[in-house]
Amino acid sequence: MVDWRLFEPLFNWARKKSLWIVSFCTGCGGIEMPPLMTSRYDIERFGIIPDPSPRQYDLFLITGYVTPKTLKRIIITYEMAPDPKWVLAHGSCPLNGGIYWDSYNAIKHLDKYIPVDVFIAGCMPRPEAVLDGIHKLMEMIENGEADGWKRYKENYEWYRKNQEELLGEGWREKEARKWIPWLMDKKKEVKE
Amino acid sequence: MFGTFLKALLIILYATFVGFMFMGIIRKVTARIHRRIGPPIYQPIIDTIKFLSKKENITHGIIYDFGIIFALGATILALMFIPLGSISIMRAYGDLILITFLLEIPMLGIMFAAMSSGNPYAGIGAQRALLTLLAIQVPLGFAIVALAEFYGTFSTYEIVMAQQTSGWSIFHLPLLLAAIAYDIVLQAMFGKEPFDIMIAPGEISLGPMVEFGGKHMGILQIQHAMGLFAETLFFSNIFLGGAVITTFSSPILNTLATLAVLLVKQLAVLLIAIFVSTIFPRFTIDQAAKFYWKWPTIIAALGAILASL
Ligand code: SF4
């Protein structure tokens, strides 16, 4: 077998130069995505393109507040990607709840549920700030500091415990079965 | 035997490299049309290295893996039959129908893999791709018939040689019509914009490609690069006069000049496709099927009739 560790610097360079973003727009920050990708702050210069498939991305942008309902989708999307993958959270809301600090329906610390590599503060951050964050992430990838995906594997019990505390045990099955009664009998109430 | 093997390897390497450059050119030119700077031209190579270096792989069974390999193999096989100037392995058997058929097989391989993943988006994408494939057959068939009628042969290499003496195909009216129809079909074969219904980014997630991640996607990128190279090469061979250059005395110089001339012709084909794709929005699938069975078919049929007169 070839020892692939020798090629690791090349791979890290390639990973840093071609971060594909999954188009997952949460919260207000979704409006900051198009300017990032169009002519003014053209992010494709760094090899970054938006891609609608959760199987192919490397960079997951959490662009704002996260409600428990969205968090379920975020966790599923996060777990669907193959391994070297990074999360960049921008805005104050994923950081500590932001202006929704006393909301019953916005999660306060995103880092408790999925591992975040880079946070960008601001409500909402300018595209330059996002570019700066991505630049920081590229540096971290190059010298191997960005290890969110590794942390998620090693501390899976902790993340899993936090997720289940918030969303209730067995939420994946419940979420999948949620619409079946509604489809069978439209008059029946949907129970979460 | 060994020489043939080496030649095949060289053709594959050259096709992959140039194909990647073509993919880069597509992205760069599209960016320039949008007034952006765009990625560096070697960006698709970086993407492929990244995909191949993923630490995890998702597979959905044997057919899922096999479909990808099947697509790559079919593209390589098509490449072997298309005359690349004076170098090619099996150009004597390079039948028009065979090559057109082989250029569509990769799509079927991707369909196999996509359908076996069980993703509904992939299923919808596969259905749309198959309908597109069905729709482009009609004008494609007429264009091939026009060519065969005009030159009286099915062999691609003989058509290239005939164009050396009688001028490029597109300068004869019946074949010009066939070329126009073929160029419209090429838009769907590249998966470029007015007819990129099978992939439809944003509309149905990514269509058939939605489940491919990691190494599968890396191999698909390589396949796409080779496919681009093969399709443009085939078009420039049958309509733009190919290239067999014998002006220099040394064979190596001749080969290089041939490759350069072919490259320019391929780029011309590619650039037309890019310009069309950046300014036209996507058709829906029923519109595309109706379109292909109407205008390109009429044009190509007219070409075929004129050629046989
Ligand atoms: S940080 Fe501000 S802009 Fe971003 S999601 Fe929260 S409230 Fe909206």
Side-chain angles (χ1 to χ4, degrees), chain A residues 23-98:
Chain A
S23 335
F24 195 109
C25 295
T26 54
C28 326
I31 208 73
E32 206 68 1
M33 287 285 95
L36 210 57
M37 280 144 198
T38 43
S39 350
R40 183 154 182 198
Y41 301 102
D42 174 25
I43 210 175
E44 210 184 345
R45 283 175 294 165
F46 310 115
I48 300 177
I49 50 170
D51 180 277
S53 158
R55 292 282 189 209
Q56 292 155 15
Y57 74 91
D58 317 275
L59 177 56
F60 197 173
L61 284 185
I62 309 286
T63 52
Y65 58 83
V66 178
T67 60
K69 203 170 174 179
T70 321
L71 186 63
K72 291 172 189 163
R73 276 79 186 173
I74 288 181
I75 292 169
I76 292 172
T77 312
Y78 184 73
E79 286 176 356
M80 269 172 101
D83 231 351
K85 54 193 170 189
W86 297 279
V87 180
L88 185 147
H90 74 70
S92 314
C93 287
L95 184 56
N96 57 6

Side-chain angles (χ1 to χ4, degrees), chain B residues 201-212:
Chain B
E203 193 180 329
I204 45 165
S205 194
L206 261 188
M209 325 294 255
V210 69
E211 274 288 310
F212 300 129

Side-chain angles (χ1 to χ4, degrees), chain B residues 99-272:
Chain B
I99 296 175
T100 359
F101 174 66
L102 278 178
L103 286 179
E104 278 159 18
I105 292 285
M107 208 61 232
L108 288 181
I110 297 174
M111 291 309 84
F112 279 160
M115 294 298 265
S116 73
S117 73
N119 189 319
Y121 285 113
I124 293 180
Q127 286 174 10
R128 287 163 158 230
L130 287 180
L131 191 50
T132 321
L133 215 58
L134 192 68
I136 63 175
Q137 298 304 322
V138 187
L140 200 57
F142 276 120
I144 298 297
V145 167
L147 269 170
E149 271 292 338
F150 193 87
Y151 289 111
T153 171
F154 270 116
S155 155
T156 315
Y157 190 62
E158 273 170 37
I159 288 179
V160 173
M161 290 323 275
Q163 287 176 62
Q164 294 278 2
T165 51
S166 71
W168 294 5
S169 297
I170 51 167
F171 292 140
H172 309 292
L173 179 68
L175 292 187
L176 177 65
L177 294 178
I180 291 171
Y182 200 104
D183 202 57
I184 299 173
V185 167
L186 218 50
Q187 209 63 240
M189 284 180 28
F190 287 159
K192 296 304 290 172
E193 205 78 301
F195 306 107
D196 69 337
I197 311 146
M198 43 184 123
I199 301 171
E203 193 180 329
I204 45 165
S205 194
L206 261 188
M209 325 294 255
V210 69
E211 274 288 310
F212 300 129
K215 302 207 168 55
H216 294 84
M217 193 61 191
I219 295 178
L220 272 188
Q221 291 259 339
I222 297 176
Q223 186 272 328
H224 186 62
M226 283 180 162
L228 266 183
F229 182 84
E231 280 150 17
T232 46
L233 182 64
F234 187 51
F235 187 88
S236 25
N237 260 331
I238 56 177
F239 288 116
L240 301 183
V244 181
I245 290 188
T246 46
T247 41
F248 302 105
S249 50
S250 103
I252 295 181
L253 267 184
N254 272 336
T255 313
L256 287 182
T258 308
L259 289 184
V261 169
L262 269 177
L263 202 61
V264 172
K265 286 174 182 172
Q266 282 172 289
L267 270 179
V269 179
L270 193 72
L271 282 178
I272 292 174

